[in-house]
């Protein structure tokens, strides 16, 4: 369909802006695994002077937890091209303390208390209070004007991407409302990371009349994990930004033989989700190749060798497949070994992806060499041993 023959509805719904502008960073969902993977990637972006130059950060679920921490830790945000010299102390160490906690089980257990039996949103509201205590007490209106932070959730009523921003919240179906001055960032993070069926959706708790510019009128609008709709966080930025950096810590789709009816029912949903994620990745990479978009993508299931860029350290593909990419996507306590390996992996992949596909973004001349932050955990045998049980989920999680 040529642009000159497209209907106004098609142009409004599907066409990008004629003049895309700005650099966006997308942080995927995937629990603490994704957040720690992104933590390593952000370290490299900081070293290269790229992180401070980002205009928009779009985050989902586990990525939203890290984005909220980043918004609180880097105040004021560094000037474009600058680097954060005390990165380890300001960003990494506090976040490792967060990821060493089991934040999902206390929220679930609170739901089981007798006086909460008839309150379906107790779990997700408890999760929000935990985030407010251990991640950040910032209000949404306190977020910086630059970069713009977008926390993504899923509108269960209309099945579209819901956005929490500094100045407004909503989606294109119900419209947008001014952000209430007392709403915490933690509420947005909880709505973004309330993965089903463990957590029930979060009620929006705003009257329909608060929303403007929408196509539908909300009735009982509730929000669930942003990864249900778009686990890459592309939706808020693909039409408007010319350069995208996409860090994907989500679960790769794995081979699994048939294991009976109950497992088969879950497998149906996994296949649907897997093909949607694959379509988004294909669309993204094809646009990079065609030159429609600039930037690059790196994912937890990849290895440095696939970028065909000599001289960059990283984990071999078999180790990634057998251990790193299979680390659980959960919000229970992660061990120091898991944190170290995931940070290394995100760092090394971001380093090679930028060097191979987006070197023009580097603001430091000459760029510092790629040096994994936890060199002791670049040893293959150590990784195999340290992550031997990391794929396994337990009922009450790890503490």
């Amino acid at each position: 369909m040529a642009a000159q023959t497209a209907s106004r509805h098609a142009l409004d719904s599907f066409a990008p802006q004629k003049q895309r502008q700005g650099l966006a960073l997308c942080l995927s969902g995937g629990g603490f695994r994704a957040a720690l993977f992104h933590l390593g990637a952000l370290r490299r972006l900081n070293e290269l002077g790229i992180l401070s130059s980002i205009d928009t950060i779009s985050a989902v679920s586990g990525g939203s937890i890290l984005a909220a921490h980043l918004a609180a830790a880097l105040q004021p945000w560094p000037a474009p091209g600058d680097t954060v010299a005390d990165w380890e102390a300001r960003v990494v160490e506090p976040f490792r303390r967060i990821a060493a906690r089991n934040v999902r089980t206390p929220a679930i257990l609170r739901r089981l208390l007798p006086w909460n039996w008839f309150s379906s949103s107790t779990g997700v509201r408890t999760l929000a209070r935990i985030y407010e205590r251990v991640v950040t007490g910032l209000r949404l209106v306190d977020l910086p004007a630059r970069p713009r932070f977008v926390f993504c959730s899923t509108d269960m009523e209309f099945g579209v991407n819901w956005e929490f921003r500094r100045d407004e919240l909503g989606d294109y179906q119900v419209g947008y409302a001014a952000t209430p001055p007392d709403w915490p960032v933690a509420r947005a993070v909880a709505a973004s990371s309330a993965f089903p069926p463990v957590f029930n959706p979060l009620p929006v708790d705003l009257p329909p009349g608060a929303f403007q510019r929408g196509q539908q009128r909300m009735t009982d609008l509730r929000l669930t994990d942003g990864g249900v709709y778009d686990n890459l966080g592309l939706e808020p930025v693909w039409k408007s930004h010319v350069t995208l950096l996409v860090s994907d810590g989500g679960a790769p789709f794995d081979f699994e033989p048939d294991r009976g009816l109950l497992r088969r029912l879950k497998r149906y949903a996994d296949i649907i989700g897997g093909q949607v994620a694959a379509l988004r990745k294909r669309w993204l990479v094809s646009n990079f190749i065609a030159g429609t978009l600039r930037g690059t993508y790196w994912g937890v299931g990849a290895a440095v060798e696939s970028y065909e860029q000599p001289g960059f350290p990283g984990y071999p593909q078999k180790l990634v497949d057998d251990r790193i990419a299979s680390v659980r996507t959960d919000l229970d306590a992660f061990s120091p070994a898991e944190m170290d390996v995931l940070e290394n992996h995100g760092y090394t992949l971001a380093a090679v992806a930028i060097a191979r596909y987006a070197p023009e973004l580097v603001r430091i001349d000459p760029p510092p060499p790629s040096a994994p932050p936890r060199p002791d955990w670049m040893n293959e045998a150590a990784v195999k041993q340290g992550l031997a049980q990391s794929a396994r989920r337990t009922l009450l999680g790890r503490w």
Side-chain angles (χ1 to χ4, degrees):
M1 182 188 296
Q4 61 267 27
T5 64
S7 68
R8 173 50 53 191
H9 170 73
L11 290 172
D12 290 343
S13 300
F14 306 112
Q17 295 178 5
K18 290 183 178 180
Q19 297 295 326
R20 302 191 204 207
Q21 294 182 335
L23 169 62
L25 172 65
C26 299
L27 302 176
S28 81
F32 280 148
R33 184 189 72 180
L36 291 161
F37 177 75
H38 302 327
L39 184 66
L42 293 184
R43 181 191 287 268
R44 183 57 178 173
L45 296 184
N46 177 60
E47 290 177 354
L48 298 174
I50 297 174
L51 181 63
S52 59
S53 304
I54 288 170
D55 298 297
T56 301
I57 296 177
S58 175
V60 180
S61 195
S64 290
I65 302 172
L66 180 60
H69 168 68
L70 202 66
L74 299 186
Q75 291 193 340
W77 193 264
D82 286 354
T83 62
V84 179
D86 49 352
W87 181 262
E88 185 76 20
R90 290 180 65 182
V91 178
V92 176
E93 291 178 1
F95 192 77
R96 287 172 68 97
R97 290 195 291 271
I98 295 169
R101 305 174 65 103
N102 183 333
V103 301
R104 56 98 158 158
T105 305
I108 297 169
L109 293 179
R110 190 173 184 84
R111 173 74 176 85
L112 300 178
L113 296 174
W115 49 89
N116 292 325
W117 287 354
F118 302 102
S119 176
S120 63
S121 62
T122 295
V124 66
R125 293 185 190 278
T126 301
L127 188 64
R129 288 194 291 271
I130 293 172
Y131 286 149
E132 191 167 10
R133 188 174 71 250
V134 305
V135 179
T136 179
L138 281 177
R139 310 290 101 176
L140 283 164
V141 295
D142 297 328
L143 290 169
R146 194 200 69 83
R148 293 180 294 274
F149 282 85
V150 184
F151 299 95
C152 299
S153 188
T154 300
D155 172 346
M156 290 288 287
E157 188 168 11
F158 296 104
V160 296
N161 189 71
W162 174 281
E163 300 175 11
F164 291 90
R165 299 175 182 259
R166 175 176 180 256
D167 55 344
E168 64 178 13
L169 48 85
D171 59 52
Y172 78 92
Q173 287 283 13
V174 300
Y176 297 86
T179 300
D182 60 338
W183 276 33
V185 170
R187 180 180 296 187
V189 177
S192 182
S193 61
F195 56 93
V198 175
F199 293 102
N200 288 329
L202 177 73
V204 170
D205 293 338
L206 285 176
F211 294 88
Q212 306 295 324
R213 314 192 313 273
Q215 301 177 16
Q216 308 286 343
R217 183 175 176 83
M218 62 174 280
T219 54
D220 183 24
L221 200 151
R222 294 169 183 263
L223 306 175
T224 192
D225 191 299
V228 173
Y229 184 82
D230 173 18
N231 199 51
L232 293 182
L234 291 172
E235 195 69 16
V237 297
W238 74 269
K239 286 186 178 182
S240 55
H241 291 64
V242 69
T243 305
L244 304 184
L245 300 178
V246 181
S247 184
D248 182 9
F253 187 77
D254 294 327
F255 165 81
E256 181 180 302
D258 189 87
R259 296 181 179 175
L261 176 61
L262 293 179
R263 291 287 296 185
R264 196 179 303 140
L265 292 174
K266 179 181 181 299
R267 188 65 171 172
Y268 293 143
D270 289 344
I271 291 172
I272 294 171
Q275 66 90 15
V276 170
L279 283 173
R280 287 188 182 274
K281 292 174 191 176
R282 290 176 194 146
W283 172 88
L284 176 68
V285 175
S286 68
N287 275 270
F288 286 150
I289 294 171
T292 307
L293 289 170
R294 297 202 294 266
T296 187
Y297 162 95
W298 56 88
V300 72
V304 166
E305 62 205 57
S306 65
Y307 288 84
E308 300 176 355
Q309 191 80 354
F312 281 79
Y315 296 113
Q317 186 67 64
K318 190 174 189 314
L319 183 63
V320 172
D321 294 339
D322 293 347
R323 287 289 191 271
I324 302 173
S326 62
V327 173
R328 67 201 179 281
T329 55
D330 206 340
L331 293 174
D332 61 356
F334 273 55
S335 70
E338 292 167 339
M339 296 185 205
D340 288 348
V341 173
L342 288 166
E343 187 182 359
N344 275 348
H345 193 40
Y347 177 97
T348 56
L349 286 176
V352 71
I354 293 293
R356 180 70 172 84
Y357 294 113
E360 71 280 1
L361 298 179
V362 177
R363 303 290 294 270
I364 306 299
D365 187 23
S370 176
R374 316 294 170 188
D376 291 346
W377 283 97
M378 294 302 295
N379 178 276
E380 186 170 348
V383 173
K384 286 181 178 179
Q385 181 176 359
L387 272 58
Q389 301 298 320
S390 295
R392 189 170 61 89
R393 285 187 175 90
T394 60
L395 180 62
L396 296 180
R398 306 179 191 198
W399 298 82

